[in-house]
């Protein structure tokens, strides 16, 4: 199925990627082409087939309830573009 | 080319063991080779000081009799592996300046086994690409050239920097990661060996995630034996990765017996695709003959859903990627766009500026296929198809021990040739993606040259966790092919 | 109990509520990382790179947290699903570092169950549980540290939560209050959540709709993040009233998310503030399905404490208590244990009266918890023993208790010290009565004339003369002999 410009705008918003108006047309075309191509899958009958959740046949690994990390505030904020007093800082969020 | 950079990893290991060379000498030679190969743009970050320090420490360990599996061996690390205190970019602008406060499990295993880091190898941005042209840090040049044509070629992708560095003798070996072919396809394009182990064999902890259900680290080397040595040093159970498998890691070198008598090799008829160059078909036939000559038995098999692997992959991988890449938001690390007045704007501007075109394309596709109303038609459908593709292999392995196929549908192409045609680019993965979807181990071994003098690889796909058979057959193929050609560019020559 | 109805202009309305409760699981470390869960602490000091959503970091689930959730499911008499799946709920927010929350969606760990509400009139109302699933908490945004900036602390990021969703079985603010209290009680008995609403360990979203009694379900609104039982009750009333007024004025309720403002006592729309979400749930490829083996559940079951409902039943049967008293006593495990210590070897009803009466009264007045009370179970028991063996009267016992509460001294010591021992010596009592009789000839005549009320007056005089220490039963008997 082809997507239209509005749909592209909507998913770009969901993905938090700004798309400039002049890019919209080309992007819509590209995404439509890709979607049309992957739609070959529709030809294949998958009735009653379980969707794959994991390719490895094993049980979920679990850890014991032990504190073995944290207490490394410096490591955590060291790469932050903006931080103060150990907090990450972003433009004011309006609640 | 120094005589120390032209050798295989296993040869270097033997020289180190005999004391004929020190890790420091070996590393120095490689540091020079890395510099000499800068025109390829194979490395994003060179770490010569670190390399020499690690080499000295390695020599000291060896003096105490504490040599590991890859003791003293200088390597390139794909810049998708987080390396503690060393810039890690994933080939993206959005990770500008990011120095992880942790070391990935796989690189940690390598260092624990004595290896030395030469630097961080270039790659397609977030490993999304088949030509290394999507890297924010620029394309990598393949050290190979077509005969009589000096146009720069792509090294394949996404582990293009790793492939180029190993092919150009600017590293004894490299780590790669393979999501849909990102180790095997560049290995084929660069005339080296590349192996994707079984999903779960190598820990994913500390590797920047692209598509979590597919990503798997593996070695890129100049011989099958080198791949066996590297894999042993990289693999192993990791409690920090819920999908890492708790199985002992064999000494893969032991598997290289050269004896494949009686082994059944599946030849999947669906891999004979329309438009595939005749020379690749011919090479495949040659490969079948080599294995037959060595006593194996070729068996025609069918993997009926092969045709649907690529579209399924291009739904599943972008879907997971769209979620995995949500953390790059300009808040806690990496790039933050200037001038954002609100948090929303900060997200949108940062991700607009920080991601390249292909990454955006895939994040948007992934967002779309997961969104309300489309989930079943795309994402769930693709997961069902994935089940069927895994089933195909499962059925085939009731009859055969290993599968032989081409690695890629073409030899390396010129930089710029496919950048404007995403689907044509995606088709590069047509032979590698099925094994990725099924989580199976696979290796690409250089097997011959194309008409215009470019390397071509053959691929062996094994049963889950049977890397040993894959390596054993790979070794036989390598011996038979006697691929001794060298690329046009060799560091220091 | 009479049904709760709100009177509107067009007649009576019924309120229909369902509650979604987020309960923080008690554990040392987080659901998917090994950082500590402690409340408070320096910003970002209880954060691992996993909780900060750093590149390449992977979740590994905490076995104990799963066990806590299973235990809770069992406590809610619910189905434990042998196969459940963790999914990613994708959305962007400043305190959501990964850009998704790991939660359970299509296949939760726990399915349908029931919670029984103990209403004040003794009625027991069942409320269905729809599901319980596990998920991770987000971090915290602070908006008041610096103008134009929001500060982010990820200490809570990744802490394990249980989301417990009720069916729309709740019909009044009181029932909603009782539901939260009961759920809280069960969680605290199990030790799976401390139930502290002030610290946010228990948070509540309410789905409210209204309808004419007997009609189909109306359109519901979700009131978010209401953080005390009182506010929950107010919010339901306010939201129901709003919906009724809206409908009666010819309007239509729109399904939306609303916020309760406790200062204004009203709910307001979050529309505009919250754009249309599309969470794009999909199974987290970093995790495998959670398979819960039968024997694990059986082991957890074997380890379960007696829960409030069973305890209440036992208190009614074994101690002969009324449903309400039993309900009050079992609400907190510690209180129930306290009561049982006091009742042990004593008259169970007297013990219940004293615990729920004097003792709770003193606790409330002083605003202290059980473990801070200056009188423990043994001390209260001693006091009851002194009453039982007639050493002191019930009247004196109340004074002694007050003294015990104030000084922390034991009952026997106070009785001894202050000479409060009951007078049971017949000779001594007779002397006192003779004196009273001699001094009041007029009243004596009245008794003789048949006015039995005056008999009571004589008892009072005798008690007054002994400072309350006279054994009232003996005084009665002696008076009857002397005047009767």
């Amino acid at each position: 199925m082809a997507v239209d410009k509005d749909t592209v705008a909507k998913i770009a918003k969901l993905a938090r990627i700004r798309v400039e108006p002049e890019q919209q047309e080309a992007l819509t075309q590209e995404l439509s082409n890709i979607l049309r191509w992957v739609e070959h899958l529709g030809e294949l009958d998958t009735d009653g087939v379980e969707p794959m959740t994991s390719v490895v046949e094993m049980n979920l690994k679990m850890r014991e309830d032990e504190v073995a990390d944290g207490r490394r505030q410096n490591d955590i904020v060291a790469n932050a573009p903006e931080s103060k007093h150990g907090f990450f800082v972003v433009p004011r969020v309006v609640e | 080319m120094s005589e120390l950079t032209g050798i295989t990893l296993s040869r270097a290991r033997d020289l180190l063991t005999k004391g004929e060379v020190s890790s420091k000498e070996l590393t120095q030679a490689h540091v020079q080779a890395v510099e000499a190969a800068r025109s390829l743009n194979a490395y994003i970050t060179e770490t010569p000081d670190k390399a020499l320090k690690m080499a000295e420490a390695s020599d000291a360990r060896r003096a105490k009799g504490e040599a590991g599996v890859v003791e003293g061996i200088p390597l390139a690390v794909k810049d998708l592996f987080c390396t503690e205190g060393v810039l890690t970019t994933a080939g993206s602008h959005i990770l500008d300046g990011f120095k992880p406060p942790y070391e990935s499990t796989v690189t940690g295993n390598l260092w624990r086994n004595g290896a030395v880091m030469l630097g961080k190898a270039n790659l397609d941005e977030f490993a999304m690409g088949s030509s290394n042209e999507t890297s924010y840090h620029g394309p990598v040049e393949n050290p190979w050239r077509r005969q009589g044509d000096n146009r720069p070629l792509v090294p394949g992708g996404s582990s293009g920097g790793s492939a180029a560095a190993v092919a150009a003798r600017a590293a004894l070996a490299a780590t790669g990661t393979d999501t849909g072919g990102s180790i095997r396809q560049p290995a084929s394009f660069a005339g080296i060996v590349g192996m994707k182990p079984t999903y779960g064999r190598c820990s994913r902890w500390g590797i920047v995630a692209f598509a979590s259900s597919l990503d798997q680290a593996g070695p890129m080397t100049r011989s099958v034996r080198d791949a066996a040595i590297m894999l042993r040093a990289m693999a192993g159970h990791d409690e920090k990765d819920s999908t890492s498998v708790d199985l002992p890691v064999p000494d893969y070198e032991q598997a290289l017996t050269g004896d494949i008598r009686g082994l059944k090799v599946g030849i999947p008829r669906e891999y004979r695709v329309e438009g595939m160059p005749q020379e690749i078909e011919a090479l495949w036939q040659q490969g079948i003959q080599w294995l037959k000559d060595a006593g194996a038995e070729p068996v025609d098999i069918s993997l009926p859903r092969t045709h649907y692997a690529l579209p399924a992959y291009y739904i599943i991988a972008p879907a997971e990627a769209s979620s995995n890449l949500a953390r790059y938001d300009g808040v806690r690390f990496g790039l933050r766009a200037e001038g954002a007045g609100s948090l929303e704007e900060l997200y949108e501007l940062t991700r607009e500026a920080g991601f390249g075109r292909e990454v955006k394309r895939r994040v948007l596709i992934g967002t779309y296929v997961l969104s309300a109303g489309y989930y079943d038609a795309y994402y769930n459908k693709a997961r069902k198809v994935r089940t069927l593709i895994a089933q195909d292999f499962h059925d085939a392995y009731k009859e055969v021990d290993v599968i032989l196929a081409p690695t890629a549908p073409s030899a390396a192409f010129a930089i710029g040739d496919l950048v404007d045609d995403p689907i044509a680019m995606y088709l590069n993965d047509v032979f590698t993606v099925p094994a990725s979807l099924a989580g199976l181990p696979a290796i690409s071994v250089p097997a011959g040259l194309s008409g215009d003098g470019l390397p071509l690889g053959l691929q062996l796909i094994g049963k889950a966790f049977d890397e040993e058979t894959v390596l054993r057959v790979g070794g036989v193929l390598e011996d038979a092919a006697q691929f001794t050609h060298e690329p046009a560019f060799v560091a220091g020559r | 109990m009479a049904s709760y109805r709100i009177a509107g202009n067009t007649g009576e309305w019924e309120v229909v509520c369902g509650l979604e409760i987020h309960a923080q699981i008690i554990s040392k470390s987080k659901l998917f990382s090994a950082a500590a869960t402690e409340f408070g602490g320096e910003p970002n000091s209880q954060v691992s790179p996993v909780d900060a959503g750093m590149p390449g970091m992977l979740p590994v689930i905490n076995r104990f947290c799963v066990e806590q959730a299973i235990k809770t499911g069992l406590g809610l008499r619910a189905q434990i699903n042998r196969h459940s799946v963790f999914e990613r709920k994708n959305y962007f927010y400043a305190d959501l570092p990964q850009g998704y929350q790991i939660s359970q969606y299509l296949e939760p760990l726990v399915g349908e169950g029931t919670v029984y509400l103990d209403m004040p009139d003794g009625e027991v109302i069942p409320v269905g549980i729809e599901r319980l699933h596990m998920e991770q908490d987000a971090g915290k945004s602070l908006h008041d540290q610096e103008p134009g900036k929001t500060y982010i602390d990820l200490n809570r990021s990744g802490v394990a939560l249980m989301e417990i969703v009720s069916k729309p079985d709740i019909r009044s603010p009181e029932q909603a209050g009782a539901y939260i209290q009961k759920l809280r009680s069960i969680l605290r008995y199990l030790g799976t959540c401390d139930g502290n609403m002030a610290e946010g360990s228990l948070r509540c979203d309410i789905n409210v709709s209204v309808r004419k009694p007997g009609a189909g379900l109306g359109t519901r609104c979700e009131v978010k993040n209401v953080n005390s039982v009182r506010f929950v009750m107010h919010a339901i009333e306010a939201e129901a009233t709003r919906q009724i007024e809206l409908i009666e004025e010819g309007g239509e309720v729109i399904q939306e998310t609303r916020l309760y403002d406790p200062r204004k006592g009203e709910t307001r729309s979050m529309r505009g503030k919250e754009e249309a979400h599309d969470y794009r749930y999909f199974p987290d490829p970093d995790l495998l399905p959670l398979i819960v083996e039968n024997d694990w559940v059986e082991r957890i079951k074997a380890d379960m404490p007696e829960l409030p409902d069973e305890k209440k039943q036992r208190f009614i049967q074994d101690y002969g208590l009324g449903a309400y008293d039993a309900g009050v006593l079992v609400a907190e495990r510690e209180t129930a244990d306290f009561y049982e210590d006091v009742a042990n070897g004593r008259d169970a009803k007297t013990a219940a009266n004293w615990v729920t009466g004097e003792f709770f009264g003193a606790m409330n007045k002083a605003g202290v918890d059980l473990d801070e009370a200056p009188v423990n179970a043994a001390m209260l028991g001693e006091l009851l023993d002194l009453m039982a063996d007639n050493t002191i009267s019930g009247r004196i016992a109340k004074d002694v208790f007050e003294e015990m509460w104030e000084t922390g001294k034991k009952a026997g010591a106070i009785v001894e010290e202050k000479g409060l021992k009951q007078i049971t010596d017949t000779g001594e009592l007779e002397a006192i009565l003779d004196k009273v009789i001699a001094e009041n000839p007029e009243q004596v005549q009245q008794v003789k004339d048949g006015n039995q009320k005056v008999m009571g007056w004589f008892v009072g005089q005798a008690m007054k003369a002994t400072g309350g220490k006279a054994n009232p039963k003996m005084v009665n008997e002696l008076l009857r002999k002397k005047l009767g």
Side-chain angles (χ1 to χ4, degrees):
Chain A
M1 192 174 65
V3 285
D4 56 25
K5 280 207 303 197
D6 287 348
T7 307
V8 170
K10 207 184 94 196
I11 58 173
K13 179 77 196 161
L14 267 179
R16 299 295 188 278
I17 295 175
R18 167 122 357 146
V19 177
E20 300 301 340
E22 64 270 20
Q23 305 165 330
Q24 264 184 13
E25 190 68 54
L27 189 61
T28 303
Q29 198 55 50
E30 277 172 18
L31 297 186
S32 292
N33 287 343
I34 295 169
L35 287 169
R36 266 194 295 265
W37 174 66
V38 298
E39 271 157 23
H40 286 306
L41 289 190
E43 300 161 10
L44 195 56
D45 180 9
T46 52
D47 277 359
V49 178
E50 270 301 304
M52 186 182 280
T53 323
S54 174
V55 73
V56 271
E57 280 176 31
M58 59 183 279
N59 280 339
L60 179 61
K61 207 174 290 180
M62 301 198 197
R63 23 170 275 277
E64 297 311 311
D65 183 28
E66 280 155 11
V67 176
D69 206 340
R71 307 244 160 261
R72 50 195 295 201
Q73 190 195 48
N74 288 343
D75 274 357
I76 297 302
V77 298
N79 280 289
E82 190 179 355
S83 70
K84 257 183 206 167
H85 318 300
F87 291 97
F88 296 103
V89 180
V90 296
R92 175 79 182 252
V93 179
V94 186
E95 291 259 284
Chain B
M1 176 177 72
S2 147
E3 60 183 41
L4 290 180
T5 57
I7 57 178
T8 60
L9 183 155
S10 56
R11 170 80 181 134
R13 177 190 61 182
D14 296 345
L15 293 175
L16 285 162
T17 308
K18 286 187 211 145
E20 288 177 23
V21 67
S22 68
S23 174
K24 193 171 179 190
E25 290 164 314
L26 191 63
T27 300
Q28 262 163 346
H30 279 91
V31 164
Q32 280 167 21
V34 169
E35 275 180 39
R38 276 185 189 154
S39 63
L40 298 178
N41 198 25
Y43 285 86
I44 290 173
T45 305
E46 297 171 10
T47 55
D49 296 343
K50 191 177 173 77
L52 290 172
K53 248 184 236 158
M54 290 175 90
E56 280 167 14
S58 168
D59 287 331
R61 276 196 301 273
R62 187 180 294 280
K64 283 195 278 176
E66 294 168 2
V69 178
V70 283
E71 191 63 59
I73 302 291
L75 306 173
V77 172
K78 186 179 185 180
D79 204 14
L80 201 64
F81 292 80
C82 289
T83 42
E84 190 171 351
V86 175
L87 181 69
T88 299
T89 70
S92 182
H93 186 25
I94 210 157
L95 270 169
D96 270 7
F98 176 61
K99 289 184 178 167
Y102 44 84
E103 184 77 33
S104 85
T105 297
V106 164
T107 49
N109 287 347
L110 284 167
W111 314 146
R112 198 166 37 75
N113 278 301
V116 167
M117 178 163 81
L118 291 167
K120 305 295 291 288
N122 205 341
L123 71 160
D124 277 302
E125 185 180 5
F126 285 106
M128 296 180 196
S130 305
S131 66
N132 214 116
E133 291 169 286
T134 71
S135 171
Y136 175 71
H137 301 276
V140 174
E141 271 186 28
N142 194 328
W144 293 78
R145 290 283 191 276
R146 289 186 185 121
Q147 270 166 13
D149 180 351
N150 209 30
R151 271 189 305 162
L153 307 175
V154 303
S158 67
S159 312
S162 297
V166 173
R169 277 69 173 163
L172 276 180
T175 66
T177 64
D178 190 315
T179 304
S182 280
I183 287 175
R184 292 161 285 161
Q185 183 255 19
S188 177
F189 278 22
I192 63 167
V193 174
M195 180 164 197
K196 179 195 97 73
T198 312
Y199 183 85
R201 181 60 96 178
C202 288
S203 168
R204 293 185 297 112
W205 193 87
I207 300 174
V208 175
F210 161 17
S212 311
S213 75
L214 295 152
D215 296 344
Q216 186 57 208
M220 302 179 78
T221 58
R222 289 197 294 268
S223 79
V224 173
R225 181 172 299 276
D226 290 1
I229 296 168
M230 278 287 282
L231 181 58
R232 184 179 168 199
M234 293 166 72
H237 175 235
D238 184 3
E239 288 178 351
K240 293 183 288 191
D241 173 1
S242 302
T243 60
S244 145
V245 175
D246 192 2
L247 285 176
V249 178
D251 178 357
Y252 292 113
E253 248 186 305
Q254 301 291 323
L256 304 178
T257 59
D259 183 2
I260 59 164
R261 284 173 299 173
L263 208 73
K264 292 197 166 98
V265 180
I267 312 301
R269 68 179 73 107
E270 289 79 8
Y271 280 53
R272 221 160 260 124
V273 295
E274 215 178 304
M276 185 166 83
Q278 172 53 37
E279 57 193 13
I280 288 177
E281 168 71 30
L283 184 71
W284 191 10
Q285 292 307 320
Q286 176 65 69
I288 295 168
Q289 190 56 49
W290 283 330
L291 297 183
K292 213 169 156 181
D293 293 346
E297 182 194 331
V299 180
D300 277 325
I301 59 164
S302 171
L303 298 169
R305 269 72 65 116
T306 299
H307 179 59
Y308 300 99
L310 211 48
Y313 173 85
Y314 275 96
I315 291 172
I316 292 168
E320 293 181 14
S322 71
S323 175
N324 283 334
L325 269 56
R327 65 189 59 200
Y328 306 102
D329 59 6
V331 176
R332 295 167 315 284
F333 40 76
L335 183 75
R336 175 181 289 190
E338 296 290 320
S342 69
L343 183 66
E344 287 300 299
E345 213 178 7
L346 184 143
Y347 288 153
E348 292 187 353
L349 295 178
T350 300
R351 291 163 65 80
E352 201 282 324
F355 291 146
R357 244 177 106 180
E358 181 60 22
V359 169
K360 282 182 201 162
R361 213 152 29 214
R362 295 204 198 183
V363 167
L364 293 176
I365 291 282
T367 304
Y368 179 76
V369 299
L370 289 176
S371 64
Y374 301 104
Y375 181 89
D376 282 325
Y378 290 98
Y379 184 68
N380 237 8
K381 178 83 184 182
R383 285 169 66 215
K384 289 178 181 179
V385 171
R386 189 174 180 186
T387 300
L388 294 175
I389 284 163
Q391 188 63 46
D392 283 356
F393 280 105
H394 187 81
D395 293 345
Y397 285 127
K398 287 176 187 157
E399 290 175 59
V400 301
D401 302 296
V402 71
I403 291 167
L404 177 72
T407 305
S410 75
F413 46 87
I415 289 177
D417 268 8
L418 296 182
V419 279
D420 292 325
D421 190 349
I423 294 172
M425 188 69 91
Y426 297 169
L427 287 170
N428 266 286
D429 300 333
V430 64
F431 299 139
T432 47
V433 151
S436 296
L437 288 174
L440 302 172
I443 198 169
S444 177
V445 178
L449 292 181
S450 66
D452 46 9
L454 294 179
L456 295 170
L458 283 176
Q459 179 182 212
L460 292 156
I461 304 168
K463 298 177 184 173
F465 300 105
D466 187 16
E467 282 84 2
E468 285 156 292
T469 300
V470 173
L471 285 161
R472 183 159 76 246
V473 183
V476 170
L477 210 54
E478 180 181 47
D479 282 346
Q482 284 297 314
F483 186 90
T484 50
H485 313 278
E486 283 188 358
F489 179 94
V490 170
R493 182 180 285 166
Chain C
M1 192 174 97
S3 301
Y4 176 82
R5 293 285 185 266
I6 296 177
N9 296 331
T10 58
E12 291 199 322
W13 293 84
E14 184 182 34
V15 182
V16 177
C17 289
L19 264 58
E20 287 172 20
I21 294 204
H22 286 89
Q24 183 186 325
I25 293 176
I26 292 176
S27 64
K28 291 195 281 253
S29 64
K30 295 182 177 178
L31 181 54
F32 293 112
S33 92
T37 55
E38 275 163 54
F39 186 76
E42 284 280 293
N44 293 309
S45 65
Q46 287 157 205
V47 177
S48 87
V50 177
D51 310 314
M54 291 181 110
M57 293 297 92
L58 298 172
V60 181
I61 200 165
N62 183 332
R63 179 196 305 276
F64 182 68
C65 290
V66 178
E67 197 161 310
Q68 292 281 66
I70 294 172
K71 202 184 243 184
T72 305
L74 293 172
L76 302 177
R77 302 158 200 274
Q79 168 76 35
I80 307 301
N81 292 325
R82 298 305 188 249
H83 181 276
S84 66
V85 174
F86 287 96
E87 305 207 28
R88 293 184 182 178
K89 180 181 183 179
N90 294 282
Y91 64 98
F92 286 85
Y93 200 71
D95 51 27
L96 187 74
Q98 287 94 344
Y100 55 82
Q101 177 194 34
I102 305 178
S103 181
Q104 296 188 300
Y105 182 56
L106 292 178
E107 298 183 64
L109 175 61
V110 178
E112 294 188 329
T114 313
V115 168
Y116 294 96
L117 311 188
D118 306 292
M119 304 311 289
D121 62 355
E123 193 187 357
V124 173
I125 298 172
V127 171
I129 296 295
E130 179 71 38
R131 59 186 279 162
L132 175 155
H133 69 251
M134 304 181 72
E135 61 186 28
Q136 32 171 211
D137 205 350
K140 216 179 157 92
S141 295
L142 292 89
H143 307 295
D144 50 2
Q145 304 290 304
E146 186 185 331
K149 301 283 187 186
T150 290
Y151 283 28
I152 298 156
D153 173 16
L154 299 177
N155 280 349
R156 291 189 71 89
S157 165
V159 168
L161 301 178
M162 298 179 277
E163 180 172 329
I164 304 167
V165 183
S166 87
K167 291 183 185 279
D169 289 351
I170 293 165
R171 293 286 176 275
S172 70
E174 287 68 30
Q175 288 181 18
Y179 173 76
I180 299 171
Q181 303 281 21
K182 187 57 178 283
L183 198 61
R184 187 172 172 276
S185 166
I186 293 169
L187 296 171
R188 287 174 57 84
Y189 263 71
L190 293 168
T192 57
C193 171
D194 68 21
N196 190 330
M197 291 188 88
E199 283 182 6
S201 330
L202 203 71
R203 298 184 293 242
C204 194
D205 300 338
I206 322 160
N207 283 303
V208 183
S209 66
V210 297
R211 66 178 175 190
K212 286 288 173 67
L217 286 177
T219 305
R220 67 193 158 87
C221 288
E222 187 181 15
V223 186
K224 280 266 181 206
N225 245 327
V226 193
N227 56 12
S228 84
V229 173
R230 200 163 51 93
F231 288 166
V232 167
M233 294 170 69
H234 286 173
I236 291 172
E237 203 178 339
E239 174 58 17
T241 308
R242 181 192 73 87
Q243 291 182 12
I244 291 165
E245 280 170 9
L246 184 65
I247 297 166
E248 290 189 335
E249 281 162 15
E252 208 179 312
V253 177
I254 309 159
Q255 187 167 341
E256 62 176 353
T257 304
R258 300 181 66 87
L259 216 57
Y260 175 64
D261 183 340
R263 273 172 306 171
K264 293 187 185 157
E266 59 183 34
T267 68
R268 62 182 152 84
S269 177
M270 286 175 74
R271 221 172 351 171
K273 300 272 166 62
E274 191 198 49
E275 48 146 343
H277 279 305
D278 183 342
Y279 291 125
R280 289 158 287 136
Y281 281 100
F282 74 105
D284 191 330
D286 288 332
L287 295 162
L288 297 154
L290 173 60
I291 309 294
V292 176
E293 306 288 355
N294 255 328
D295 59 338
W296 192 18
V297 177
E298 289 309 314
R299 260 179 291 147
I300 295 169
K301 215 179 249 173
D303 209 27
M304 296 271 285
E306 184 185 34
L307 289 173
D309 287 336
E310 286 82 53
K311 208 180 274 279
K312 179 180 165 190
Q313 225 33 60
R314 184 164 63 79
F315 279 17
I316 292 171
Q317 264 166 22
D318 294 4
Y319 298 127
L321 303 186
Y324 180 73
D325 275 355
V328 170
L329 285 170
V330 303
E332 295 278 355
R333 188 173 174 171
E334 294 73 18
T335 311
D337 290 349
F338 180 90
Y339 166 71
E340 289 207 87
D341 285 346
V342 176
N344 187 15
R346 304 191 175 92
D347 181 65
K349 280 189 181 169
T350 311
N353 288 338
W354 271 81
V355 172
T356 58
E358 301 299 314
F359 189 80
F360 282 3
M363 257 172 58
N364 285 340
K365 204 171 139 198
V368 296
D369 287 336
L370 189 59
D371 56 352
E372 302 159 329
V375 174
N376 63 30
M379 288 162 74
L380 184 56
E382 186 199 337
L383 179 66
L384 300 194
D385 290 343
L386 291 175
M387 265 195 298
D389 67 9
N390 284 326
T391 305
I392 55 172
S393 66
R395 168 74 195 75
I396 290 289
K398 292 186 180 182
D399 295 340
V400 174
F401 178 76
E402 246 175 67
E403 182 85 12
M404 289 166 70
W405 191 272
E406 270 161 37
T407 62
K409 286 184 190 163
K410 291 192 172 174
I414 293 167
V415 169
E416 198 62 43
E417 207 175 280
K418 302 215 157 175
L420 297 175
K421 219 168 162 188
Q422 195 160 232
I423 302 165
T424 50
D425 182 274
T426 315
E428 197 181 340
L429 284 176
E430 278 193 62
I432 290 160
L433 289 179
D434 288 344
K435 192 165 171 258
V436 172
I437 289 166
E439 280 169 5
N440 298 289
E442 214 173 296
Q443 279 79 0
V444 172
Q445 191 54 48
Q446 285 174 1
V447 173
K448 290 198 168 148
D449 289 348
N451 190 344
Q452 285 299 311
K453 272 188 201 161
V454 183
M455 196 69 134
W457 181 84
F458 273 107
V459 176
Q461 290 302 305
M463 295 310 283
K464 202 170 162 189
T466 59
K469 290 186 290 181
N471 180 316
K473 202 171 149 209
M474 290 175 73
V475 169
N476 263 309
E477 280 166 11
L478 290 171
L479 271 174
R480 205 156 286 135
K481 225 170 11 178
K482 286 181 192 295
L483 298 174

